[in-house]
Amino acid sequence: LVHDINPQWSVMGDLGWQDWSQFGAPQIVVGDQQLNNVSRLKDTWHGAVGVQYRPTPQWRLNAGVAFDSSPYESQSDVALTLPTGEEWRFGTGAQYQITPASNIGIAVSYLHMQSSHVKSPVAFAGSYD
């Protein structure tokens, strides 16, 4: 959703849900050994809010924050292919309209992710902070 408060300010929001539980158990084989392919996934949701400020017709300044829930039932046994957890993102940026058909921008974001622990495969077992 985007709502223009006035010609200079806009607010933005986003909500979503992902049906990870329907993904099922991946069939992974390392060497000749089939890994424990029990589904560890659960459904997730995410939300985000942001603002945009236009001090002049050429400039746009943006800032926002977003949250994603963890796709895992437990952070003590996550998949090596996706060692993730709950995520918070913080971002900001600026955009300059050079001509009506072209613009240039810069943005930076910071991600804080929940720590995870991988149990298998044994060669890669460990914690991921």
Side-chain angles (χ1 to χ4, degrees):
L1 299 171
V2 176
H3 176 69
D4 292 332
I5 296 171
N6 58 42
Q8 287 185 303
W9 287 95
S10 296
V11 293
M12 297 160 268
D14 178 42
L15 288 174
W17 172 78
Q18 294 164 324
D19 193 11
W20 283 104
S21 62
Q22 291 297 314
F23 182 67
Q27 301 300 312
I28 300 172
V29 177
V30 176
D32 292 335
Q33 181 183 20
Q34 184 168 347
L35 301 181
N36 181 1
N37 293 325
V38 176
S39 180
R40 305 175 215 167
L41 301 177
K42 65 178 182 177
D43 297 342
T44 62
W45 66 274
H46 68 269
V49 293
V51 295
Q52 183 175 76
Y53 175 62
R54 294 175 291 281
T56 69
Q58 291 82 24
W59 281 100
R60 292 177 184 236
L61 308 173
N62 304 297
V65 62
F67 174 80
D68 289 283
S69 64
S70 175
Y72 291 105
E73 295 287 344
S74 168
Q75 290 304 117
S76 63
D77 187 21
V78 304
L80 175 64
T81 55
L82 188 62
T84 189
E86 291 181 349
E87 299 176 351
W88 282 95
R89 290 183 185 84
F90 303 89
T92 188
Q95 181 178 340
Y96 182 75
Q97 196 73 36
I98 300 168
T99 69
S102 63
N103 61 54
I104 188 167
I106 186 169
V108 63
S109 63
Y110 170 78
L111 167 67
H112 178 79
M113 186 170 25
Q114 184 179 16
S115 296
S116 303
H117 186 77
V118 173
K119 289 185 179 178
S120 61
V122 177
F124 298 105
S127 294
Y128 293 82
D129 296 325

